[in-house]
Amino acid sequence: MSPKKTIHLIAAARPNFMKIAPLYHALSREPWANPVIVHTGQHYDTNMSDAFFRDLLLPVPHYHLGIGSGTHAEQTGKVMIAYERLLNETRPDLVVVVGDVNSTLACTLATVKIRYADRPSGGGRRFPLPGNVNRAIRPLVAHLEAGLRSFDRSMPEEINRIATDTLADILWTPSADGNENLLWEGVSREKIERVGNIMIDSLEMMRPKIEKIRMAKQYGLEQGTYGLVTLHRPANVDEPAQLRAICTALEKITQTFPLVFPVHPRTRKQLEQNGYWQVLAQIPNLFLSEPLPYLQFMSLVFDSRLVITDSGGVQEETTYLGIPCLTLRENTERPITVSEGTNRLCTVETLLQHIAKATASKERRSRKPLLWDGHTADRVVASIQQVLLDAKEVMLD
Ligand code: UD1
């Protein structure tokens, strides 16, 4: 029997863990696959990382690169250096990167460069048609959650998305707009496969546990009577004027509607530096907390009346669950959550109006996007199997 195929799953930051978990579990069931978790350490606090591994039943990462915080160049550079070292020690058959964080791009760059390092000349000839997947090349890179675009290059994540999709060999998209964006950018159709939304796999995998927790009760709140807030994007929290306006809006909202706000470390730092933390902590109907583990957080989402967020993943989870979502951003790389789901883009000035509208309507309007069905990991495994095992390898030189 041929040796198992080694597949690196790159996990870096909080939103990555629920994307690799279903894939890790699905690959672990395959006799031909050896899934290996590589944690870059971009998020390192217990409640931003370890708690997610525990909740999602993941093992301790096989490799931990321990990168931590830094400027964008520092973080991206440190991950590249550390991951290149690991690739020199162990060559996987496939590297799977997810989402749009700095580590997604850094590991993609390290991988696509190292595969030519031991054959310095003529490497480019290995791709006879632009964009074709040359299955003989190792390691291949696959991007899970490919093709999403906010068309806003002031977002670091947009740069990471564009650069990763340009370099990756296999592009798994969550929705039709992902395919359209990639085709419009000139990517070969052969590289793209719509597989659905892997976050929904995690949600469905953990649903029985999520439904048992009833986290809202810990705040003395009943199901459907409160809002949940998550904010961490630089455009919202790193700008003092915007942060101040958001704090004022939250205070106004809590006069009639309780809010639970698990605070991201970036946001907490900014709130403390600007002197708003103490003010918020004293507002009676505003329940501040540390960032929460997956099950507890999702329990609060499940039971909320609405969600206020600037996160990407939360826009998708609320659409799937049919919970109104107010996204404090000018744009979204996930337009399907607006066109088919419950998501509304809003500004801090229009937030109160949107809340009044969302809480007035009894009906939970939502259409679950196609292939957001809890079986994305199975489709990804089938795709990997086809690329690594079934297809006849083409040696081009
Ligand atoms: C990162 C991702 C973003 C993702 C978000 C989810 C990039 C460019 N950004 O943003 O796409 O939506 O994660 O959370 O990759 N910090 C801690 N403890 C931690 C992690 C971070 O205290 O465990 C602090 C850091 O010191 C830093 C700040 O939080 O000051 C921001 O962390 P960073 O990894 O730069 O980006 P995020 O804002 O978390």
Side-chain angles (χ1 to χ4, degrees), residues 286-338:
L286 180 62
F287 301 92
L288 299 180
S289 84
E290 297 286 317
L292 293 172
Y294 182 73
L295 299 177
Q296 295 180 7
F297 180 76
M298 288 312 299
S299 165
L300 284 173
V301 175
F302 271 48
D303 287 347
S304 66
R305 181 70 188 83
L306 60 84
V307 173
I308 301 167
T309 193
D310 58 9
S311 145
V314 176
Q315 295 173 50
E316 299 180 331
E317 287 155 343
T318 46
T319 272
Y320 181 71
L321 294 168
I323 293 168
C325 178
L326 303 176
T327 297
L328 262 181
R329 283 176 48 185
E330 286 172 1
N331 49 52
T332 178
E333 62 289 336
R334 292 159 162 92
I336 198 165
T337 60
V338 176

Side-chain angles (χ1 to χ4, degrees), residues 72-118:
H72 285 279
E74 280 167 357
Q75 211 170 38
T76 310
K78 281 199 256 172
V79 175
M80 281 186 75
I81 294 166
Y83 190 53
E84 184 185 60
R85 241 178 245 142
L86 180 61
L87 287 172
N88 275 326
E89 282 166 26
T90 157
R91 280 299 164 92
D93 295 281
L94 174 70
V95 176
V96 177
V97 294
V98 300
D100 55 18
V101 300
N102 286 336
S103 302
T104 309
L105 172 61
C107 291
T108 302
L109 273 168
T111 309
V112 297
K113 290 196 161 191
I114 206 155
R115 60 198 186 186
Y116 295 116
D118 45 5

Side-chain angles (χ1 to χ4, degrees), residues 105-299:
L105 172 61
C107 291
T108 302
L109 273 168
T111 309
V112 297
K113 290 196 161 191
I114 206 155
R115 60 198 186 186
Y116 295 116
D118 45 5
R119 13 186 160 131
S121 63
R125 286 188 285 109
R126 281 159 199 272
F127 292 90
L129 296 170
N132 275 9
V133 180
N134 178 356
R135 295 181 171 87
I137 210 129
R138 291 292 182 269
L140 287 162
V141 184
H143 184 203
L144 181 53
E145 200 185 85
L148 299 188
R149 297 289 181 269
S150 64
F151 302 100
D152 174 1
R153 291 197 181 196
S154 70
M155 286 179 76
E157 293 86 350
E158 182 75 352
I159 307 298
N160 294 339
R161 290 180 204 116
I162 294 168
T164 300
D165 285 345
T166 304
L167 296 170
D169 305 291
I170 304 160
L171 299 165
W172 292 310
T173 65
S175 44
D177 54 285
N179 293 46
E180 283 157 24
N181 292 335
L182 292 168
L183 291 171
W184 187 82
E185 287 171 14
V187 173
S188 147
R189 203 173 281 276
E190 183 190 330
K191 284 177 143 190
I192 309 167
E193 188 179 348
R194 182 174 172 188
V195 293
N197 190 331
I198 195 121
M199 300 242 304
I200 305 307
D201 289 30
S202 274
L203 189 155
E204 285 303 340
M205 183 172 82
M206 293 300 156
R207 186 189 275 274
K209 286 190 180 174
I210 295 168
E211 287 178 341
K212 257 198 208 141
I213 292 182
R214 294 285 171 238
M215 185 68 187
K217 286 238 178 306
Q218 296 202 12
Y219 298 96
L221 296 168
E222 291 300 320
Q223 193 177 4
T225 62
Y226 65 91
L228 179 65
V229 183
T230 81
L231 296 167
H232 74 276
R233 298 252 164 232
N236 279 326
V237 305
D238 291 1
E239 294 287 331
Q242 175 71 357
L243 190 60
R244 190 191 162 84
I246 289 174
C247 292
T248 307
L250 294 183
E251 185 181 11
K252 274 198 194 129
I253 295 163
T254 54
Q255 288 167 10
T256 52
F257 189 57
L259 293 176
V260 182
F261 184 5
V263 186
H264 187 283
R266 168 189 287 277
T267 310
R268 179 161 187 161
K269 209 186 282 176
Q270 294 296 340
L271 287 170
E272 285 178 344
Q273 276 171 13
N274 287 282
Y276 302 144
W277 179 260
Q278 279 312 320
V279 181
L280 290 188
Q282 280 159 24
I283 298 175
N285 247 350
L286 180 62
F287 301 92
L288 299 180
S289 84
E290 297 286 317
L292 293 172
Y294 182 73
L295 299 177
Q296 295 180 7
F297 180 76
M298 288 312 299
S299 165

